Amino acid sequence: MRETVARFAVAYRRHLHPDGRLDDDAPAFARDPARLIPLYRAMVRARTFDAKAVALQRTGQLGTYASALGQEAIGVAVGSAMRPEDVLLPSYREHAAQLLRGVTMTELLLYWGGDERGSDFAGPREDFPVCIPVATHACHAVGVAYAFRLRGEARVAVAVMGDGATSKGDFYEALNAAGVWRLPLVVVVNNNQWAISVPRSRQSAAETLAQKAVAAGIHGEQVDGNDVVALRAALDEALGRARAGEGPSLVEALTYRLGDHTTADDASRYRDDDEVRRRWAEEPAARLRSHLVAVGAWGKADEEALLAEARAEVEQAVAAYLATPPPAPEAMFDHLHAELPAALARQRAEVAGRGGHG
């Protein structure tokens, strides 16, 4: 005898189309331009910062940098949906979310400039620093969410990672544990179609990445990652479920990496230029701007004022970053141990004795 014991489906959500047209079943907040304009402003702010960071790296004033060009809707949706008391565990393309959470541009530049003081946020003190290792922060997020549940706190841990992270063991272990314990965790997969030079099609044989939630017994869905309206609606629901004790969620945001993987990469060596040009027609900022213009809520003067404001903010942050004195060389020893082992204590004393010129 053979029979079907279970059936599963993966939902896909889109409300705002590439031409700026809004679906009839879009959430109520999307009918109010006053709710959408802050989302658009946040995307432009993040993109302006992003462009300047790349320029700083190209002129030797910043270390290797991971651009979020074309993926701003994901960070903006995450950052705007979270409450201040929630905890963000970002990967390396979440500048938009971090800026909305209160991390300053100067702190971000310090971090990418190799100064770990940039991870000591003055704003969201409990948010995690940027996670460079792929998917390791998925397990950290489970620990954070478990702590929230033990304390009886209505808070949510939100971890953001790329499509390549879903191939890692840490990812599967984290989802499984979160499902078993019904933890207040939301995992957002930024599926930008490329894990450095490896295309999504060679990352996983799964038809969607959202279906990986099925094996963990948790809610999973796929969303147009260039549609900030659909993303925000999906995250509002996921965060609401987590806060209400209804368990974790996985949101797969389908987008496209318009730039290189990092400034150490050259995507033109492995990616077709025509494909990139086609993807520009779907990018999130222009999509929302088209909608706002169509409903009479945005115009040329608004755009020019916003760009001037964003550029001025970025330039002010760059000036503060470049004026920040470097940390003392012995500072590298100061945050790894509560009490330095003898060998490291000797090294620290030796470095300090060189007077910062070692």
Side-chain angles (χ1 to χ4, degrees), residues 182-204:
R182 310 303 295 165
L183 298 181
L185 171 68
V186 175
V187 175
V188 179
V189 174
N190 178 338
N191 181 359
N192 67 23
Q193 312 300 323
W194 290 91
I196 309 183
S197 58
V198 179
R200 157 71 177 86
S201 59
R202 293 176 59 189
Q203 273 290 314
S204 172

Side-chain angles (χ1 to χ4, degrees), residues 193-326:
Q193 312 300 323
W194 290 91
I196 309 183
S197 58
V198 179
R200 157 71 177 86
S201 59
R202 293 176 59 189
Q203 273 290 314
S204 172
E207 189 171 353
T208 72
L209 301 180
Q211 72 197 61
K212 298 188 178 188
V214 173
I218 70 175
H219 178 88
E221 69 173 306
Q222 193 179 64
V223 182
D224 183 337
N226 289 351
D227 174 359
V228 73
V229 171
L231 280 168
R232 177 59 195 267
L235 287 166
D236 281 347
E237 293 172 15
L239 284 156
R241 282 192 299 271
R243 224 179 295 282
E246 297 173 8
S249 298
L250 169 64
V251 175
E252 177 192 1
L254 276 174
T255 182
Y256 192 81
R257 196 190 76 207
L258 292 174
D260 297 325
H261 173 67
T262 68
T263 49
D265 175 44
D266 177 6
S268 67
R269 297 177 62 186
Y270 55 81
R271 204 167 58 176
D272 181 63
D273 289 343
D274 288 339
E275 176 183 296
V276 179
R277 275 192 288 272
R278 288 195 300 274
R279 293 291 189 163
W280 268 104
E282 303 172 357
E283 66 99 346
R287 184 184 302 200
L288 182 52
R289 182 173 62 243
S290 295
H291 172 72
L292 292 172
V293 170
V295 298
W298 197 256
K300 182 179 178 182
D302 300 308
E303 186 72 12
E304 290 175 348
L306 173 59
L307 289 173
E309 178 186 321
R311 287 168 183 153
E313 183 186 10
V314 170
E315 290 303 328
Q316 189 174 20
V318 170
Y321 158 64
L322 295 176
T324 302

Side-chain angles (χ1 to χ4, degrees), residues 128-146:
F128 275 46
V130 169
C131 181
I132 297 294
V134 177
T136 57
H137 62 312
C139 297
H140 305 159
V142 167
V144 173
Y146 196 70

Side-chain angles (χ1 to χ4, degrees), residues 87-110:
V87 168
L88 174 67
L89 297 98
S91 183
Y92 40 77
R93 267 184 239 286
E94 279 67 66
H95 328 309
Q98 290 184 294
L99 290 171
L100 277 173
R101 296 282 296 160
V103 177
T104 69
M105 291 183 180
T106 302
E107 288 168 337
L108 290 176
L109 292 171
L110 283 169

